[in-house]
Amino acid sequence: MADFEAVTKAVVPAAGLGTRFLPATKATPKEMLPIVDKPAIQYVVEEAVSAGLLDVLMVTGKNKRSIEDHFDRAIELEDALEAKGDDERLSQVREPADLATLHYVRQGEPRGLGHAVLCAKQHVGDHPFACLLGDDLIDYRDELLKRMIEVRGTYGGSVIALMEVPKEQASLYGCAAIEPTSEDDVVRVTDLVEKPPADEAPSNWAIIGRYVIDPAVFEVLENTPPGRGNEIQLTDALRTLAGRGNDQGGPVHGVLFRGRRYDTGNKLDYLRTVVQFAADRPDLAPEFLPWLKEFLAAR
């Protein structure tokens, strides 16, 4: 096995405007919308930590200060809970600040995911890193990111998470042309297309929001012109890396993910996610599920 550098850093782009959730996101970051009682962004950081990545950079933007506040200490609140002897809620309040070493950089203007990743260059330096998008939540039992880091350790280059979607939904994602390897869940990526028309998609294996990326991506992004939506697309940069060897930051492999993924990128999927998480909660499910059944039966 080749000796490829270990992955220790994570980048979480969180600078989007969240227009699909207006008016709620006029003053509240989309990433702070709760999944039951915990903001979506915390699940993402917990996933990075679970994979061994304790150095986390968040790429934020205007009106995102509450994200920093959430992962900071809240001394007055902690003191009040401690005085009441409310140890359970005190632990919940302290947990975000104790998860990892959090860093922040601002993306001055919304110029696409590729530009958001480029904003991480100074912090990441010449090291591989994971990139986790907040719209996708991966069930903690499936350990997708750990597997991707293992694949990077075997093949080098970059690794993307791929999930099979119906052909008619291909235009909602970046899609990959793939070749098999000797491992059932690993493929070699030969081409990538950002949100192609359904009849032009190279496959129905779509990129979901998990990446392990070689630092060579920064040089590529600096020279990548705006693509779809007049934004700098990470997919376009990874397409360039897919044609390279290890000595130039390539290639790109994909992990075929068949586990549990929860989408929070639009209102309907967000509502589905909240219901699924609530149904899995032992403190809520015994009362929530019978109520839900009665509610649906009465519709």
Side-chain angles (χ1 to χ4, degrees):
M1 182 186 297
D3 185 20
F4 296 110
E5 182 180 354
V7 180
T8 62
K9 298 175 183 287
V11 173
V12 180
L17 298 176
T19 52
R20 292 180 181 178
F21 286 88
L22 287 170
T25 49
K26 178 181 177 181
T28 301
K30 178 187 67 174
E31 297 82 6
M32 289 297 295
L33 295 178
I35 309 299
V36 184
D37 56 2
K38 187 189 297 185
I41 194 75
Q42 184 171 334
Y43 288 101
V44 176
V45 175
E46 288 173 350
E47 182 186 349
V49 171
S50 179
L53 309 180
L54 302 180
D55 182 333
V56 180
L57 174 72
M58 291 204 186
V59 183
T60 66
K62 188 178 180 181
N63 296 329
K64 301 281 184 167
R65 181 61 184 271
S66 61
I67 295 177
E68 296 185 39
D69 290 342
H70 179 72
F71 289 98
D72 199 357
R73 298 293 299 274
I75 301 301
E76 291 183 0
L77 178 57
E78 292 176 23
D79 288 346
L81 292 171
E82 191 168 17
K84 292 170 58 176
D86 194 340
D87 293 337
E88 181 179 357
R89 288 188 174 86
L90 178 61
S91 176
Q92 292 171 344
V93 167
R94 285 177 172 170
E95 182 182 13
D98 295 334
L99 280 172
T101 301
L102 273 293
H103 310 269
Y104 302 89
V105 64
R106 279 201 172 191
Q107 182 184 19
E109 54 183 315
R111 296 176 56 195
L113 176 58
H115 182 261
V117 170
L118 187 55
C119 292
K121 178 180 179 180
Q122 185 172 355
H123 179 81
V124 170
D126 193 26
H127 304 286
F129 62 99
C131 179
L132 299 85
L133 306 190
D135 284 352
D136 287 314
L137 304 184
I138 304 299
D139 196 291
Y140 70 92
R141 293 164 288 191
D142 290 323
E143 298 189 333
L144 170 61
L145 189 56
K146 281 186 178 180
R147 176 58 178 147
M148 294 174 68
I149 291 172
E150 289 175 0
V151 172
R152 151 77 192 186
T154 301
Y155 298 97
S158 298
V159 182
I160 60 177
L162 297 173
M163 193 166 190
E164 197 167 18
V165 300
K167 194 74 173 179
E168 62 271 16
Q169 293 183 16
S171 61
L172 302 176
Y173 299 88
C175 293
I178 57 177
E179 295 176 348
T181 69
S182 59
E183 300 184 78
D184 289 342
D185 66 333
V186 180
V187 293
R188 172 77 180 262
V189 175
T190 59
D191 197 11
L192 291 164
V193 183
E194 179 65 19
K195 296 182 178 179
D199 59 350
E200 297 178 16
S203 76
N204 60 334
W205 284 99
I207 307 170
I208 58 176
R210 296 297 180 271
Y211 308 80
V212 176
I213 307 176
D214 190 274
V217 76
F218 295 126
E219 169 264 324
V220 178
L221 284 169
E222 287 173 336
N223 294 284
T224 297
R228 187 175 181 87
N230 201 34
E231 296 180 336
I232 298 175
Q233 299 290 348
L234 179 60
T235 301
D236 293 340
L238 290 170
R239 184 186 190 190
T240 298
L241 292 180
R244 295 183 177 183
N246 284 136
D247 59 335
Q248 294 182 304
V252 175
H253 285 83
V255 170
L256 304 181
F257 181 62
R258 298 181 174 91
R260 290 155 286 197
R261 165 189 175 246
Y262 309 97
D263 191 347
T264 63
N266 61 71
K267 295 173 187 176
L268 183 57
D269 284 330
Y270 171 78
L271 290 172
R272 289 179 178 135
T273 296
V274 172
V275 171
Q276 288 174 297
F277 272 61
D280 280 342
R281 287 269 297 258
D283 60 328
L284 298 176
E287 293 185 48
F288 176 65
L289 290 177
W291 172 84
L292 184 59
K293 290 176 182 177
E294 291 179 8
F295 174 78
L296 293 175
R299 301 297 289 175

